[in-house]
Amino acid sequence: MKKIFLSLLVAVFALSCSKPYVIVQVADPQLGFDADVKSQEPGAVYVDDLSYEVKYLRKAVLEINKIKPDAVVFTGDNVHKCSNEHQWYTLISIISNINPEIKTFFVPGNHDVIQTENGVLMAPFEVYLGKERFVHKERGVNLVGLNTNLIKFNDAREQEQLEWLKGALKKDKDSDVTLVFGHHPFFKENIDEEDSSQIQKAKRREYFDLFKENGVGAVYAGHLHTLREGEYEGIPMRTMTAVAYQLGEAQPSIRIIKVSRRGIGDEIRLL
């Protein structure tokens, strides 16, 4: 009896002391955004100057390598103009400095793809960064990455992705924690808020009901270049500000997510 008690005590101690699973979210590097804004000024000439975004993305990479997370997720709008090879190659040259032992994932933003009347062309993103969505399971944490462009722009492939999502959300164990990542937030603060840059109101509940059914712990997005946070049925919708160019009052930063036996922790780290 004493042996059994000691074994249980050791198991409980091991669980409480287990190392948290750490993810860093990087939102909207959008190399070239600053130059494009400056080119709109009266009399200005467009110069493909990426120095502003490069400065902060390099800082982010240095911080990531210091933190040594289990995974990094880039939640879209990696470049400003998806047809601009200079922007893509500059992005790749910087993120290639992330420690190769850190698993790195990407989902596409609207600036990474080509929007047409017939849907979304994924060629630019897929050529440079690979598949448009992902699922990764490790140490009881399920990371699921969505192509929200298909949802936002009513692409015919949305239904196929939805069927894929139903499978991707399934847990191996009830105790597993699932986190969903995409570019567009499903909502900013309230699931019934009016439509603007987020996912359409008519589609939000279908997805969040699916998230609830599968016990999703939190949903993370970018796109807004400022911080927002809401909740529906106990599931947080957390929108991260940009790693570089801001449209709100936030500052260039990255998000650090820690999953442990105590729950999901969340920290904004300024650059």
Side-chain angles (χ1 to χ4, degrees), residues 143-158:
L143 305 180
V144 178
L146 282 177
N147 180 1
T148 58
N149 293 295
L150 302 184
I151 307 170
K152 178 66 175 174
F153 302 115
N154 300 310
D155 189 282
R157 293 187 300 121
E158 180 187 355

Side-chain angles (χ1 to χ4, degrees), residues 24-251:
V24 170
Q25 180 193 6
V26 181
D28 302 274
Q30 205 160 333
L31 272 65
F33 194 177
D34 182 59
D36 195 22
V37 170
K38 288 177 179 176
S39 72
Q40 306 303 318
E41 297 173 2
V45 177
Y46 178 76
V47 177
D48 196 20
D49 177 9
L50 312 182
S51 57
Y52 182 82
E53 293 87 6
V54 163
K55 171 186 174 182
Y56 285 103
L57 187 56
R58 282 178 175 161
K59 284 186 175 185
V61 169
L62 287 173
E63 198 64 31
I64 288 165
N65 287 338
K66 285 180 187 177
I67 297 166
K68 297 180 181 176
D70 296 277
V72 176
V73 181
F74 284 77
T75 50
D77 277 3
N78 297 283
V79 298
H80 189 60
K81 296 182 179 180
C82 66
S83 60
N84 189 312
E85 290 186 351
H86 177 220
Q87 293 178 7
W88 283 111
Y89 285 127
T90 302
L91 173 88
I92 292 168
S93 71
I94 297 170
I95 62 177
S96 65
N97 291 304
I98 295 174
N99 186 328
E101 293 182 2
I102 301 169
K103 298 174 181 67
T104 305
F105 304 95
F106 303 88
V107 291
N110 51 293
H111 281 268
D112 300 325
V113 301
I114 300 171
Q115 299 166 38
T116 73
E117 292 181 359
N118 298 319
V120 180
L121 298 181
M122 294 305 305
F125 176 86
E126 290 181 330
V127 166
Y128 294 102
L129 295 177
K131 295 181 180 179
E132 64 185 330
R133 55 184 182 244
F134 67 84
V135 58
H136 177 74
K137 299 185 177 185
E138 182 179 16
R139 289 174 48 203
V141 179
N142 303 337
L143 305 180
V144 178
L146 282 177
N147 180 1
T148 58
N149 293 295
L150 302 184
I151 307 170
K152 178 66 175 174
F153 302 115
N154 300 310
D155 189 282
R157 293 187 300 121
E158 180 187 355
Q159 188 59 41
E160 182 269 329
Q161 178 176 248
L162 182 57
E163 293 305 312
W164 171 88
L165 178 61
K166 291 174 182 177
L169 292 176
K170 292 189 181 301
K171 300 178 179 181
D172 293 333
K173 299 177 182 177
D174 289 340
S175 60
D176 289 352
V177 175
T178 300
L179 305 178
V180 174
F181 295 85
H183 179 62
H184 301 84
F186 283 85
F187 53 91
K188 299 174 184 178
E189 296 169 357
N190 187 296
I191 199 164
D192 291 318
E193 67 199 16
E194 293 306 311
D195 290 346
S196 60
S197 52
Q198 73 282 63
I199 296 297
Q200 301 92 310
K201 184 177 178 180
K203 297 185 176 185
R204 297 171 198 160
R205 288 181 187 274
E206 177 183 11
Y207 282 90
F208 263 74
D209 286 345
L210 180 62
F211 296 156
K212 182 184 178 183
E213 180 184 335
N214 288 275
V216 169
V219 181
Y220 296 91
H223 186 56
L224 302 182
H225 291 249
T226 192
L227 293 168
R228 288 288 185 273
E229 184 163 350
E231 183 179 300
Y232 176 72
E233 295 287 352
I235 305 172
M237 173 69 253
R238 293 177 174 143
T239 303
M240 182 58 189
T241 196
V243 69
Y245 197 93
Q246 304 296 305
L247 293 177
E249 296 179 356
Q251 299 178 53

